[in-house]
Amino acid sequence: SNEFTVGHMFDVALSGTTAVGETLTIGLKTDMESLTDNVLQLTKGFNDFIKATSDYLQTQPKSKFAIHEMNTIAGKYSAYFDSMGVSISENGTLEVDTDIFGKSVSDDESVTDTFNVLKEFSNQLIQKSSDIALNPMNYVDRKIVAYKNPGHNFASPYTTSAYSGMMFNGYC
């Protein structure tokens, strides 16, 4: 298995392989390193979403709404981000100054505020991502047409979900 527990305290998940004869060292990170890595991962995920969505602006102009909504969420926290060393660039991506971030977290008075802001920000990103996943047609330039049988009062096949016909898109 690639996942195991060491001393009933640490869960280890190996995510890759090494060359024959190469050794692997497993160590612990300090709280600061772990926290910084998690914030960098959060901003990387945000940036990857913005960049991936931007790639479709030429073919799907409505994708700018998804970018705008994500940037609006980030903009609400920009005042807090500045004090944490997180800045919003011109293209809407987030950049982290790890030195400023480390200082903001090491201050006992502001560490709770920093965690709360990051938690609220990530929760709003999760909520918006869920909204986009549940209703992707708001962000693409496609029309949904339901061909009802005139003269018959049968329920529309799209009543349950407007996306039910898309399950096999490209199947044939």
Side-chain angles (χ1 to χ4, degrees):
S1 172
N2 288 345
E3 296 182 16
F4 55 91
T5 303
V6 177
H8 300 291
M9 294 177 62
F10 302 104
D11 291 327
V12 178
L14 303 176
S15 59
T17 59
T18 59
V20 176
E22 227 179 290
T23 60
L24 174 71
T25 304
I26 299 173
L28 298 175
K29 292 182 180 180
T30 64
D31 289 342
M32 181 61 69
E33 287 175 320
S34 180
L35 180 60
T36 302
D37 284 350
N38 285 323
V39 169
L40 290 172
Q41 188 173 357
L42 174 66
T43 57
K44 181 185 179 310
F46 180 88
N47 293 343
D48 288 348
F49 177 86
I50 296 296
K51 289 174 186 172
T53 307
S54 296
D55 289 344
Y56 291 97
L57 284 174
Q58 296 298 323
T59 58
Q60 293 294 332
K62 286 179 96 178
S63 63
K64 68 182 173 198
F65 296 126
I67 295 170
H68 174 72
E69 289 175 351
M70 292 300 235
N71 285 333
T72 300
I73 292 171
K76 286 178 19 180
Y77 294 96
S78 64
Y80 299 107
F81 285 168
D82 289 339
S83 65
M84 284 189 265
V86 179
S87 60
I88 303 172
S89 67
E90 298 247 343
N91 64 359
T93 58
L94 299 177
E95 297 172 2
V96 180
D97 183 333
T98 54
D99 294 332
I100 296 173
F101 180 75
K103 290 176 186 172
S104 74
V105 175
S106 63
D107 182 13
D108 289 338
E109 294 174 11
S110 66
V111 71
T112 304
D113 294 336
T114 300
F115 285 131
N116 288 337
V117 167
L118 290 172
K119 186 175 180 179
E120 287 176 27
F121 175 64
S122 62
N123 285 340
Q124 286 196 6
L125 290 180
I126 290 169
Q127 183 179 0
K128 181 48 65 183
S129 298
S130 295
D131 291 346
I132 292 170
L134 289 174
N135 199 357
M137 296 308 285
N138 285 344
Y139 306 97
V140 294
D141 201 15
R142 304 280 174 147
K143 294 187 189 295
I144 297 177
V145 179
Y147 299 102
K148 298 181 180 181
N149 193 353
H152 296 87
N153 292 330
F154 296 114
S156 170
Y158 299 106
T159 300
T160 307
S161 172
Y163 309 114
S164 59
M166 294 181 196
M167 289 175 51
F168 296 105
N169 190 12
Y171 180 74
C172 297

